[in-house]
Amino acid sequence: MTRDDGTERDELILDPTTYRFLGYRTVATRDRTMPKRSAPGTSRPPSDRSPEVQRAGQVLINVGYLPGKVVDKPGQR
């Protein structure tokens, strides 16, 4: 399952058998240059703010979902 806005594609990753949600990722769909931002609470001189180049096909965000729970002893599920 995907959503594409012309610059990025968001992809939901599902188990092909159970359709359980496993994670998501965002992929660049075209080359582009993004201005680099300072981290919150910091300041950099303008000359040190070199732009970030994103290439088509580059994974920008990749998140896996691993459910878990608290058990009383090792080996319990």
Side-chain angles (χ1 to χ4, degrees):
M1 175 178 273
T2 65
R3 182 189 66 81
D4 191 330
D5 69 4
T7 60
E8 295 177 350
R9 181 179 62 244
D10 295 322
E11 303 174 346
L12 292 180
I13 302 166
L14 306 174
D15 181 295
T17 305
T18 64
Y19 301 106
R20 190 181 84 186
F21 176 73
L22 299 175
Y24 68 91
R25 70 181 181 175
T26 301
V27 180
T29 56
R30 66 178 178 90
D31 292 352
R32 65 182 178 167
T33 302
M34 302 293 290
K36 205 162 224 180
R37 298 186 179 126
S38 297
T42 65
S43 61
R44 291 187 290 179
S47 62
D48 192 28
R49 293 185 187 164
S50 56
E52 175 186 353
V53 177
Q54 296 176 349
R55 301 283 180 213
Q58 178 181 349
V59 176
L60 305 174
I61 300 171
N62 197 20
V63 177
Y65 175 69
L66 301 172
K69 63 181 182 178
V70 177
V71 296
D72 292 326
K73 47 187 162 174
Q76 276 188 329
R77 295 187 181 267

